[in-house]
Structure formats: structure tokens, C-alpha cells
Amino acid sequence: MNTEVINDITAVLTTNLTNNISTIIFAFAVLIIGVVLSKFVKKSATKFLNKLNIDQVISSYISYSVYVICIALTLMIILSMIGIPVDTLVSIVVILLLSLGIAFKATLENVGSGFILLFFKPFKTGDYIESSGIEGLVSDMHLFSTTLKTFDNKTIIVPNSKLTNQSITNYTKQEKRRVDIILNFPYGTDMDKVKSVLEDIFNSEPHIIKDQSFLIGIRSFKENGMEVIATAWVSTENYWDAFYSITYKIEKNFRKNNIDMNIAKKITYEKNTKKRNK
């Protein structure tokens, strides 16, 4: 089937090119005009999309697609001028599109996912995200992939389809984040003393938002001790500074006030004591 189509095109081209030089010259002129007009349409489309404040990646892709379509229409006009049937051209285009669709299925899926990410904006450049066990700072976004940069300066390139097919956690989308500190204490610990020390730490921590109340309480009772949660609100940009500062002060102040959090040590001690008593 494809061989017959190619032979038909070759025969038509040979006949028409030999018999009608003027048509060829006119077709060449149409080609030049078509290219110039295509560039003009592309430039106009870019300006129009920029006025609508559309994402630059999407804007450039749409304007380039418009340019390609204009060039394709110009070529179809030229080929029909020199005698190639339009239905033959359509058949060729359909065959090419089907072949490309099968060959680049994954690529097209990533492009579609790229449009979804750019239109719905679950994250933007500069956000810290996590998805499918991968996390990092979004450093660049393209139609095919998204580039993440980790805290230890590694670059991770993630296919967009992987991001749209999995849940995304955006840690920096909100202006405020809650710092959650989970602590474990053996039974018999003076909880009033623990709460007092934690309150002093939170009140002295400059990163904590003072007009947001913090919470300190027993979260659960476990077989080996009590689980205590202490939470406070900080601005998103100061989250890690606040987290490490608070945990450092907890270790320092608990040691200073003789508050023991080492449950494992106490469990081992109790087990050894029982063995000796037996």
C-alpha cells in the first residue's frame, strides 16, 4: 500500500515538474511567503499569550506548534499546486502520525503530563516536593521532565508522567509549617518538668511564630513508655533552621535538667535486673 502511494507521488512529480516550470516557480514563491507569514503568526501568538500571563514554557510550546501547523499547511498547498492529490497527502500524514504515536508513546505521555503540571501548577520552580520516594527542590520544569535538586546538591530528572501518576507532597506551597517533635519517656518521668522545659525552649526560639499557640502533650501510652508530642508553627522558609535549633536545645536542656529520654537503656537495665533477681 505504501509502495503504491510513493510510486503515484513519484509519477505525478515527474510529469508536473517536466511540463510546468512556471508552477514550480510560483510554488517556490508561495513557500517563501508561507515561511514569512508563519514566523509572523508565531511572533503574534507569543505576544498574545504573554499578555494572558500564560506560563512561558506553555506559551513557547503553543506558539511553536502554531508555527509548525502554518508551515505544514504551506507545504500542503504547494504539493497540491504541483499536482499531488490532497487525499494522498492526508493518508501520508495519518500514517506518519500513527507511526510516531506508537514509537514515542512514552514521550507523548510525558508531554501530556507536562501540560497538566504547567496548567494546574501543583508546584512551581523553587518549591520543595516529594513524590514516589523522590524529594528535592524544583529547579527547572519542562514539558518532558522536571528537574529536582537535593540538599546534598544532587540533580534528579523526573519524567513528568511519574509525577502526575503519583501523589505529590509540596512542603513549601503554604506560608507556614508546623514543626512536630516526637519524644519518648519512660513511665515515672516528671511530665510537669518536661512541659516546663519545652515551653521555655519554644518561648526562646526566635523562628517560632509567637501569635500561633504551640502544643505540648502526651500523644500515646506504649508498652515501654510515653510518647509526647510538641508542636509549634514557623514560616516555611525557616522550617529546617527551627527544627534543628529546637532539637539541639531539647537535648541540651533535658540533659541540664536531668530528664532522661533513653527508654532503650532503661528497658535493658530492667531486663538485666530481672535476670539477676532470678
Side-chain angles (χ1 to χ4, degrees):
M1 176 66 183
N2 293 339
T3 305
E4 293 177 0
V5 171
I6 294 171
N7 291 334
D8 290 342
I9 294 173
T10 304
V12 171
L13 284 173
T14 303
T15 304
N16 286 279
L17 290 176
T18 305
N19 299 332
N20 205 337
I21 301 297
S22 61
T23 302
I24 297 173
I25 296 173
F26 185 66
F28 184 74
V30 170
L31 175 63
I32 295 174
I33 295 172
V35 171
V36 173
L37 287 175
S38 298
K39 290 181 179 179
F40 174 77
V41 171
K42 178 186 176 184
K43 188 175 181 181
S44 300
T46 302
K47 289 182 179 179
F48 176 75
L49 293 171
N50 288 337
K51 288 181 180 180
L52 297 177
N53 293 322
I54 294 177
D55 188 277
Q56 188 175 359
V57 177
I58 297 178
S59 175
S60 60
Y61 186 83
I62 292 175
S63 58
Y64 184 75
S65 298
V66 170
Y67 173 75
V68 171
I69 291 172
C70 291
I71 292 295
L73 289 174
T74 301
L75 291 175
M76 289 185 70
I77 292 171
I78 292 171
L79 291 174
S80 73
M81 285 174 56
I82 60 178
I84 296 179
V86 176
D87 57 346
T88 302
L89 293 175
V90 173
S91 299
I92 295 173
V93 171
V94 170
I95 293 171
L96 288 174
L97 289 176
L98 289 174
S99 300
L100 290 173
I102 295 171
F104 298 99
K105 180 182 178 181
T107 302
L108 293 174
E109 185 179 353
N110 286 325
V111 171
S113 299
F115 270 113
I116 293 173
L117 294 175
L118 291 168
F119 270 115
F120 291 98
K121 296 181 182 296
F123 56 82
K124 64 181 185 302
T125 303
D127 285 350
Y128 191 88
I129 67 170
E130 179 182 2
S131 180
S132 306
I134 301 171
E135 61 181 288
L137 194 72
V138 180
S139 61
D140 208 354
M141 296 175 65
H142 299 285
L143 285 176
F144 298 99
S145 62
T146 297
T147 303
L148 304 180
K149 184 175 287 186
T150 63
F151 280 133
D152 55 352
N153 209 31
K154 294 177 183 176
T155 299
I156 304 174
I157 300 174
V158 187
N160 286 332
S161 59
K162 190 170 185 178
L163 294 174
T164 55
N165 291 330
Q166 301 290 333
S167 60
I168 301 172
T169 301
N170 190 330
Y171 290 102
T172 51
K173 192 174 183 66
Q174 303 298 327
E175 293 181 357
K176 295 182 293 184
R177 281 188 67 185
R178 195 179 73 179
V179 178
D180 291 348
I181 306 295
I182 308 297
L183 304 169
N184 293 288
F185 299 96
Y187 289 114
T189 301
D190 186 347
M191 293 310 300
D192 290 333
K193 187 177 183 180
V194 169
K195 186 174 181 181
S196 177
V197 173
L198 287 173
E199 286 177 346
D200 290 340
I201 292 172
F202 281 175
N203 286 323
S204 65
E205 175 56 48
H207 292 109
I208 290 177
I209 301 173
K210 302 306 178 183
D211 60 353
Q212 295 280 330
S213 60
F214 51 79
L215 172 68
I216 301 171
I218 298 175
R219 187 179 187 183
S220 63
F221 295 99
K222 296 186 175 182
E223 181 181 355
N224 300 322
M226 299 171 288
E227 187 176 78
V228 172
I229 184 170
T231 68
W233 290 93
V234 299
S235 62
T236 300
E237 61 183 352
N238 293 327
Y239 177 84
W240 289 111
D241 290 335
F243 179 84
Y244 290 122
S245 176
I246 291 170
T247 52
Y248 174 78
K249 289 177 181 178
I250 285 175
E251 193 281 331
K252 180 179 178 181
N253 285 273
F254 278 21
R255 182 160 40 85
K256 181 180 178 181
N257 288 274
N258 296 316
I259 299 175
D260 193 358
M261 293 188 297
N262 196 341
I263 296 178
K265 181 179 179 180
K266 285 188 172 293
I267 294 171
T268 303
Y269 172 78
E270 290 173 0
K271 287 181 177 179
N272 292 336
T273 302
K274 290 178 180 178
K275 287 179 179 179
R276 285 196 297 269
N277 290 337
K278 288 180 179 180

